[in-house]
Each structure stands twice: as C-alpha cells, then as structure tokens.
Amino acid sequence: MLNNTSRFLFVLLILAIIVIPLSGQQERHIPTVKKNVFFGKSKPVREMKVVVAGPENRQTKGEVIPNYPDELPWDPDSFRDVSSTEGLVTVQDAQGSRSMGGPLLNFEGMDNVDAVAPGDPNGDMGTQYYMQTINRAFSVYDRNGELVYGPVDNTSIWDNFPGPWDNVSWGGDPVFKYDHLAERWVVSAFSVNSDQDIYYEMIAVSVTSDPLGEYYTYAFQFDEFPDYPKLAIWPDGYYLTYKINGWRTTETAVDRVAMLNGEEEVSMVVFEDGLGNYSHNPLSVDIEGFVYDSATPNYVILPVSNPNSNPVSAWMYIYEFKPDWSEPDSSTFSLIDQLSLEPVSVDVPPGVVQPEDYNLIDALWIRFMYPASYRKFEDHESIVATHTLWKDDGTHLMRWYEVRRDADSGWYIYQQSGYSPDSLERWMGSINMNVNGDIALGYSASGEETYASIRYTGRLAEDSLNKMTFTEVDAFKGMRVVNNVSGSRNRWGDYASMSLDPADDSTFWFTTMYPTASGGWGNWSTRIISFNLHEEGPSVYVDAGPPDTMICLWPLYEAYGLAENYSSANWTSSGDGSFIVTTGVNNTYYYGQQDYENEEVTLYLTATGYEPGSVVIDSLHILLNKEVAAFAGNDTLICSDESYILNGTIEYAYDYYCSTSGDGIFSDSTALDAIYTPGAADIDSGQVTIMLHALHIEPCEGMTTDTLLLNIDDCTYTQEITANDLSVRVSPNPVDNVLSVSITGITGPDFSLELLNLNGRQLFADNYGLSGDNYRHQLDLSHIPPGLYLLRIRSGNYQKTVKIIRK
C-alpha cells in the first residue's frame, strides 16, 4: 500500500503532461512522407476461404493486446508538494428530467472468440449493414440485427497479401468505419512481426458499399510499434493517430482519393513527435453528416494537463492537419487553439470498483475516447469529445465537451460537464452528435453492487447547457465481475464506438463490452444497440417458456426464455433447486430433492426494462416425470371365436402403442382399450403375446414395454351351464336401423351386453334387460354411421362377440 507521499508521486507519474508553451507549438513541424509497402485487391470477402475466428489461429492465446498505459517519464523533483483541495468545478450529480425510451435494437455482438483482452469493440452502420470488429475478428449484421456473416478473422480482408503478417499480433486495435461520403468501408488494424522487429498499419477500402465485397488493401511499415491507432474520415484523407511505443505522439494522413480509386501507390504524411514527448493520445476528428466545406482542414485534439498545480490545470489543444497530396512534403500540422478545461483533482483513483472486492478495472483515463466527431451547421462548427476523469472521492466519471467555432471566432468551449448522477463509476465512453445537434453519450458503469454494465444518456440541442437531460438507460447489465487480469492490470475496452446511421443521420448505434456469466479469464462479450433520443419506447416483454412442462428423471432442465426491450433478466425458483447462473434469458435448472418429492417446481423469469420501475415477471410450471409405468393387463384366456379388449394403463408416458407377436389385428393399436382379433396362426398356436409400449416424455429417451399372454381355446370346457346352452340370435344382420337381440341360457346376475365400435368405444351397454334367464331387446342403430360393430355378451365365465354390420 502506498503512503500519501508515494501515492502523490505515483499520481504525478501517471498524470504528468508538461505544458508546452503555445509559442513553441507554432513552429513548423516537418513531415515525413512514406508509401505503402504492399498493395492488393482482394477477392470478395464472401468468396474467400473462411478463416474462422478463434484462439487456435493465434500465437498469443489468452493474452493481453499490448496497448500501453498512460504513464510517462518525468523528474519528480520538478513538481511542488501539493495536496488536493478541490476537484471538478462542474459535475452533473442527478439524472436528467427527460424520460428516455428504450433502444430500437439491442442484440448480441461478438464475444471473446480469440481469447484476448481488451476487446476493443468498434463498429459502424452503413446503408444496409452494421459491421462490428473486436480484437481480432469481425462480423456483419443486417439492419434488423441478424448476423449475416462471421465472426471471421480480421486478416481475411488482407488474405491476398504475401507479407510477414502472421507473427504474434495480427489484426489488433481494429477500427472499421463507413465512409458515408463515398459509401465505402474503411478498415484498419496493426500487425506486429517481433521476429523481424517490423511493424505495420494495415488499411483496406471496399471497392463498393458491400462490406463483403472486394477491398483495395494496403500495408504501411513503421520502425516502431504504432500503438492505439485511431481512424477518422475526412474529405481529403483518412487520418490515423498513434502513440509510438506507447508514448511518442504520431499523426498521419493517407490519400483518401487514391485509395478510393484503388491506386497501387499511396502516400502517407507523417508528423512524428509533433506534440512533444509528454502528451497524451492525440485524436483526429471524424466528420459526420453531409454538410462540409472541402477546404476545411482536419482537426486533431489533445488533452493536456499540468500536475504542477492544485487542482490540476487542463487544456484541450486543437491542431490543423493540412496534407498536400500534390506536394506531400509541403503538408502542415499546426496548433491553432489552446482551450482551458475545468481542473481535476490530483488524487488519481487506482481503478474502477466492482462487486466482490475483485480486481479494480483499468479505466484508461485522460485520453479522449473514440471517436471525436465533427459536424458543420449553418452558423457554426462543432466537435464533441469525451474522456474518463474522476471526482474528489475517486469516483470515475465521463467528462464530455462540445467545442464550437463560429464564422467570426476561433474554437471555444461551448459546454462541458462531468456526468456522475449517482455513486456508480462511469468510464470507457463514446460520444457523438446527430444532424439535429442532439448528443448521445454511452459508457460502462460499475459499482460495489453493480457489475460492469452498458448505459447511455443524451441531450437535445435546445436543452440547457452542460447537462445530459435524458434519464440514463441501463441498456444491458453485466453478469459477473470483469476478469481480464494481466500483471497489475484488469483490462477493459480499450474503446467503444458511438456512430450515426447514414440513412437518417439521426439514429445512434453504440457497441461496447459487458462481462458474461463465466468467471474465467477474458469473460467479455459485446452488445450492439441502436436508439434515438426520444421520450417513448416499447415496453419490456418476457416469456419464461411453455407454462406447463414435463421433464424426466434427468437432474436438469434447459430453460429457454424470451425477453424484449430489457436491460437484464434473471431466474428464480419456488423450490430447492439451483441455476448454473441466475442471469440471462436462457438458463439451466438443477432440481432439488424437495422438487422431486413434490413432483413439481415453478421457475420465474424476471426482466427489468429501461424505464425506472419497469419489471415484468413470467413463470413456467415444471412437472417432474416419475418413472414411466406400463401395464398391458393380466394374462388371460379367450375363446377362438372371440376378440380381446385390452385394459391397459400408462403413467408418465409421452405416447404409447400396442403390438403383437402373432398375426392378429388391433382395432386401434394406439388405444389402451384396443380390440385384438386373433389370426389363424394365433389360434393354431393357442396363444399370442400382446405388448404395450410406453414412450418416454421428452427430453427423456427410451421406451418401457409390458406384455400379457393371451391364451386361445375353443372354450367348450368353460360351459358350466346346467340348463340350455347360452344362445345368441341377432336379426337382421346386416341391419338397416333396428336390430333385434335375443339371448337365452343366461346363468347368473353378472350378465352384460355392450355395443362397441372398432376403436373399442362403448356405444351402448345394458345390464338390466333380463327376464329370467332370457334377454330380448331391440336396438335402434339409425343414429350411428354405417360400418362394422361388435356386440359383446358376457355371462358368468362365458363371453361371446358377434359382428354387426350397419348398412
């Protein structure tokens, strides 16, 4: 544990950025001009051999992408001994008053398919597709959030290259952008060949607007590691900023028109160390919208602070980057404005708090997060930017800015604020502005009782300044602690992406990470969310599954629920069983002993919506199937001229049917009271086996079978009638309507008569029509359909069945 003095020195070490005088920045920086070392034109991505993303494709498995932390060399004796007395001047400490509607779409992006950290999620919406990338894979989704391609390895796009790309780290720190001005896709990633100590920045431009079509592919070589590359679209070029080896700033521009035309040789203008050795990451601004002045240069913004003050003073430096593609050596890079930002406390928090007192999360503070966006309006220009800072108590927050330039002024701070409406930590943000001037801010949020979750807020252009006026949307809740620990760092990010839909220039698309329910290393996945800044949204919906479900004696039940417009979902039980995890729509439940004894349990799926207090619960009732039981009946004897009616029983079965070992037939083999008529072979052998098969209920498998032995005899020895033999007479047969039945020789009170159809269904029964030992009755059959019927008579030990034909 550091003492106060040591901690202060450590803080200054991390934070130290020596303020370089404005006059020094006005000196002309000399550019370096380089050409691409490789060029190619790829096959359409959809026709390439698929390189499926996965750790098996990498030499680095379960390791951290080597982005450098914000720490710089300095001389601690050069700073005064100061202590914090105050922090940020402006902090929004309450939610906005506008009620935010939920997302239009909120769907799962790629998970940690390459077993790396951080995830570096980034994405953009084109005219038809959303393209998402992570370290180190990409996928393509349609406008409805359906996956149409991927995940595949980022290297697929440069598959036609012969160079040394397959060593250590290939496809890291990716940025995939849609150039809405040209309707093309522009993608970038670094490649590190440590064996040869060579480094590359890979850039590709799609030949059409199809993200799965052909690409013009380029590689630019660097002598040192070009860390944390960030890509920005501008009318005259594609701009990328770096930190060389993690501390020297480098700003570059490549010839956009040449790349769009697929020229084999393309110039890159490089300004290296232009911002001094003690600067944080510069960031070129990215153009939004379709209104622009082609003569306007690209702007590069940079956060600068002076730890030799209390609280720490801070500035936003704004540079103009003007490449000259006809004479690249004449390109310029100049500081044009130095804007004072509100100060920050010198007490830098060590990391983001999360539940279970687990490792603090790497906040990646100070540097402006991707993207910084530029938009031109009729009467002004705007740039919006955000980064992670902190309050006096060490709580991380999102500090956001809108800077403007009017026709008669330079750049100035139009509004700025720290967003911290409660005690949660907020970091790893991304910001953008739509065509209306509305601003959306997305980020991660965490706390002592809150897993790292995805949230966003926003404001309308006409709202009061310095405030996010919409209530924060909890778009997706994290499921467990973040576990990307490597050395002393628990990596997260290193960036997110808030972009605009070119179809309306108003709808925002946001992608970032959340921790999954897995507790293992690298337990992150991503979400892709689209939304508008409006005050109405769809209601939360939840469906736990079929209301009554039977399961077998397996100890688990796979629950597949459904939820819409929700930020989190969790399962609970009325019994004593347990879930693998409680969060998520799909889950696995292991029932307990009490559940088994009760033969049932109820599971509840609770979904929390985006609006405060919006909670919906649905349930499903599980019946625990006992062991399947089948009883075909007792072994018995029938006469050779009779049929046998089954009296089977089934318990806990999904379905059942009968079969025979002989040549007889069933009236209905799927009925428990089926009528079996013996065949000639059955009668000759004097017996036949009847089997009742019970099929187990899904997801149980198998079948239970029970048998009975049906003995067949001519029945002469069963006649124990001392008077006349039992005589049955029916007429007419076939019959039109009325059937006369006459029976004599009845021996006892247990007489019965039944009329059955061939499915064994009883149509008529009579036990009372006796007169002495005789029975006489007329049956009106006019209301039953024509066909074959059975008249069955029982008396004592004697049974006789007569076939009746209804014409």
Side-chain angles (χ1 to χ4, degrees):
M1 182 68 68
L2 297 176
N3 59 33
N4 290 337
T5 301
S6 299
R7 184 182 179 198
F8 173 67
L9 294 180
F10 173 75
V11 165
L12 294 182
L13 171 64
I14 299 298
L15 186 63
I17 302 174
I18 296 178
V19 178
I20 302 171
L22 182 59
S23 59
Q25 292 299 312
Q26 292 172 330
E27 298 176 1
R28 182 173 183 270
H29 307 294
I30 306 301
T32 299
V33 180
K34 62 175 65 179
K35 304 290 186 179
N36 54 295
V37 295
F38 286 98
F39 166 78
K41 184 180 180 182
S42 75
K43 294 186 298 184
V45 172
R46 59 168 51 89
E47 297 178 11
M48 292 180 181
K49 178 182 178 181
V50 174
V51 182
V52 177
E56 66 275 8
N57 297 328
R58 302 297 179 190
Q59 295 186 25
T60 53
K61 300 177 183 179
E63 295 185 6
V64 168
I65 302 298
N67 296 131
Y68 289 84
D70 292 300
E71 62 180 73
L72 303 168
W74 61 285
D75 179 5
D77 293 334
S78 65
F79 299 100
R80 293 185 291 110
D81 184 11
V82 295
S83 59
S84 175
T85 58
E86 60 179 307
L88 295 171
V89 175
T90 302
V91 175
Q92 181 179 338
D93 58 4
Q95 295 281 352
S97 59
R98 292 185 183 275
S99 177
M100 174 78 86
L104 303 174
L105 291 174
N106 187 347
F107 58 96
E108 190 73 358
M110 287 181 286
D111 61 11
N112 193 359
V113 292
D114 280 319
V116 299
D120 292 355
N122 166 257
D124 208 354
M125 185 68 213
T127 53
Q128 293 180 286
Y129 300 103
Y130 186 89
M131 202 170 185
Q132 187 198 38
T133 183
I134 56 172
N135 273 328
R136 314 170 180 109
F138 74 91
S139 287
V140 179
Y141 305 83
D142 65 18
R143 282 191 165 272
N144 297 318
E146 296 296 326
L147 178 67
V148 297
Y149 187 80
V152 297
D153 200 280
N154 281 339
T155 60
S156 299
I157 293 177
W158 291 272
D159 183 60
N160 60 321
F161 271 25
W165 322 117
D166 295 327
N167 184 275
V168 179
S169 186
W170 184 183
D173 278 12
V175 176
F176 283 33
K177 291 287 296 180
Y178 184 69
D179 181 350
H180 61 286
L181 302 180
E183 298 186 355
R184 303 280 194 90
W185 290 93
V186 187
V187 302
S188 68
F190 65 58
S191 175
V192 177
N193 190 306
S194 60
D195 287 349
Q196 300 181 25
D197 202 23
I198 300 176
Y199 308 88
Y200 302 91
E201 181 67 13
M202 319 294 285
I203 305 174
V205 179
S206 65
V207 177
T208 68
S209 62
D210 182 2
L212 298 178
E214 300 172 304
Y215 281 80
Y216 300 124
T217 51
Y218 301 86
F220 294 87
Q221 184 173 327
F222 288 79
D223 295 330
E224 297 178 90
F225 178 36
D227 190 24
Y228 205 70
K230 293 294 167 287
L231 171 69
I233 309 296
W234 203 256
D236 67 348
Y238 296 129
Y239 290 77
L240 294 105
T241 54
Y242 308 89
K243 269 310 210 40
I244 299 298
N245 278 343
W247 63 279
R248 282 206 323 280
T249 61
T250 298
E251 302 78 35
T252 69
V254 292
D255 191 337
R256 172 176 175 266
V257 174
M259 282 189 163
L260 290 173
N261 291 332
E263 296 182 14
E264 293 187 10
E265 186 175 79
V266 171
S267 296
M268 172 183 277
V269 174
V270 182
F271 286 96
E272 188 171 324
D273 256 347
L275 307 184
N277 291 342
Y278 302 101
S279 301
H280 284 282
N281 294 59
L283 193 60
S284 288
V285 301
D286 187 58
I287 192 168
E288 296 290 356
F290 299 89
V291 179
Y292 62 92
D293 183 346
S294 59
T296 301
N298 183 253
Y299 301 105
V300 178
I301 62 173
L302 173 74
V304 176
S305 60
N306 175 17
N308 196 24
S309 62
N310 180 24
V312 175
S313 302
W315 294 266
M316 179 190 294
Y317 283 9
I318 302 179
Y319 297 81
E320 284 186 346
F321 195 158
K322 297 180 179 179
D324 185 337
W325 299 118
S326 59
E327 296 184 23
D329 289 335
S330 300
S331 302
T332 61
F333 184 79
S334 308
L335 176 64
I336 59 170
D337 277 300
Q338 179 179 340
L339 309 180
S340 294
L341 307 179
E342 293 180 343
V344 64
S345 166
V346 298
D347 292 323
V348 183
V352 173
V353 173
Q354 57 177 334
E356 303 173 22
D357 198 25
Y358 197 72
N359 298 62
L360 299 176
I361 306 170
D362 194 355
L364 211 69
W365 37 256
I366 292 293
R367 67 182 72 178
F368 286 131
M369 302 307 295
Y370 186 76
S373 296
Y374 166 93
R375 189 176 287 274
K376 181 176 175 56
F377 294 92
E378 183 177 350
D379 59 350
H380 69 275
E381 302 164 85
S382 282
I383 295 174
V384 291
T386 187
H387 56 176
T388 302
L389 291 178
W390 52 89
K391 296 190 293 188
D392 281 346
D393 62 4
T395 303
H396 291 85
L397 53 71
M398 296 312 306
R399 172 78 81 82
W400 61 274
Y401 311 90
E402 181 187 0
V403 299
R404 286 190 177 187
R405 184 170 71 172
D406 303 327
D408 56 353
S409 73
W411 290 99
Y412 62 94
I413 301 289
Y414 178 68
Q415 55 179 334
Q416 63 177 319
S417 182
Y419 185 71
S420 184
D422 51 39
S423 62
L424 293 182
E425 310 248 26
R426 289 170 176 82
W427 82 106
M428 203 59 65
S430 186
I431 195 170
N432 218 315
M433 173 185 284
N434 68 13
V435 67
N436 305 315
D438 309 329
I439 296 174
L441 175 65
Y443 40 84
S444 297
S446 177
E448 292 181 353
E449 298 181 356
T450 301
Y451 296 127
S453 300
I454 301 173
R455 300 193 178 195
Y456 65 85
T457 185
R459 54 170 284 110
L460 300 182
E462 66 269 18
D463 291 341
S464 57
L465 297 181
N466 306 317
K467 186 175 183 180
M468 291 294 165
T469 55
F470 280 91
T471 300
E472 181 179 68
V473 173
D474 191 356
F476 199 80
K477 286 183 170 60
M479 299 179 180
R480 209 157 183 175
V481 295
V482 173
N483 180 12
N484 298 324
V485 178
S486 177
S488 61
R489 305 177 67 188
N490 192 4
R491 301 298 300 279
W492 195 245
D494 278 334
Y495 44 97
S497 180
M498 183 75 75
S499 59
L500 268 299
D501 193 327
D504 59 12
D505 203 18
S506 178
T507 300
F508 296 95
W509 288 76
F510 181 51
T511 185
T512 192
M513 300 160 59
Y514 72 91
T516 66
S518 167
W521 188 92
N523 64 329
W524 59 264
S525 187
T526 65
R527 299 291 291 187
I528 301 170
I529 301 164
S530 71
F531 63 94
N532 285 318
L533 295 180
H534 54 75
E535 298 191 50
E536 294 183 2
S539 300
V540 60
Y541 169 81
V542 65
D543 182 359
D548 291 294
T549 302
M550 180 77 76
I551 66 174
C552 61
L553 291 178
W554 293 106
L556 59 85
Y557 173 74
E558 299 289 347
Y560 295 100
L562 173 66
E564 297 175 354
N565 309 312
Y566 71 101
S567 65
S568 67
N570 66 282
W571 289 88
T572 54
S573 165
S574 65
D576 64 336
S578 62
F579 294 93
I580 291 182
V581 293
T582 59
T583 55
V585 174
N586 299 327
N587 220 315
T588 300
Y589 181 71
Y590 290 85
Y591 61 76
Q593 183 62 33
Q594 177 184 322
D595 299 337
Y596 178 77
E597 292 174 356
N598 293 337
E599 299 184 21
E600 63 179 359
V601 64
T602 301
L603 305 184
Y604 302 91
L605 177 58
T606 302
T608 303
Y610 305 115
E611 296 288 337
S614 57
V615 178
V616 178
I617 302 174
D618 190 40
S619 64
L620 65 89
H621 186 217
I622 296 177
L623 302 174
L624 276 67
N625 192 17
K626 295 298 184 97
E627 185 175 358
V628 175
F631 178 65
N634 296 319
D635 297 346
T636 190
L637 171 71
I638 64 170
C639 300
S640 58
D641 63 345
E642 292 182 333
S643 297
Y644 173 73
I645 300 177
L646 272 71
N647 187 26
T649 59
I650 293 291
E651 289 185 297
Y652 311 120
Y654 166 70
D655 204 354
Y656 49 84
Y657 66 95
C658 303
S659 67
T660 175
S661 64
D663 64 338
I665 59 172
F666 291 96
S667 60
D668 181 357
S669 63
T670 63
L672 289 176
D673 56 353
I675 299 174
Y676 181 72
T677 302
D682 298 341
I683 295 172
D684 288 343
S685 66
Q687 63 180 27
V688 64
T689 300
I690 294 178
M691 292 158 280
L692 178 59
H693 309 280
L695 303 179
H696 294 189
I697 298 174
E698 294 182 352
C700 311
E701 297 179 353
M703 179 172 63
T704 297
T705 299
D706 189 49
T707 63
L708 70 85
L709 182 64
L710 185 64
N711 295 292
I712 304 171
D713 195 88
D714 60 10
C715 295
T716 56
Y717 68 90
T718 62
Q719 295 276 9
E720 297 181 358
I721 303 172
T722 58
N724 296 328
D725 290 345
L726 184 71
S727 173
V728 178
R729 183 176 181 274
V730 294
S731 65
N733 190 12
V735 60
D736 283 320
N737 294 311
V738 178
L739 179 71
S740 296
V741 180
S742 176
I743 305 172
T744 60
I746 299 171
T747 61
D750 56 348
F751 167 83
S752 67
L753 178 143
E754 297 174 283
L755 180 66
L756 309 169
N757 64 19
L758 291 183
N759 290 327
R761 179 185 171 212
Q762 187 183 70
L763 304 180
F764 172 77
D766 189 358
N767 297 331
Y768 303 102
L770 291 176
S771 175
D773 58 356
N774 299 322
Y775 175 92
R776 287 181 176 82
H777 210 90
Q778 287 186 325
L779 305 180
D780 186 353
L781 307 183
S782 61
H783 296 292
I784 64 174
L788 182 64
Y789 296 87
L790 303 175
L791 189 67
R792 186 167 63 191
I793 300 99
R794 288 191 177 96
S795 176
N797 293 326
Y798 191 87
Q799 174 178 300
K800 188 172 185 65
T801 301
V802 180
K803 295 179 181 178
I804 305 296
I805 300 174
R806 163 83 165 90
K807 291 190 297 184

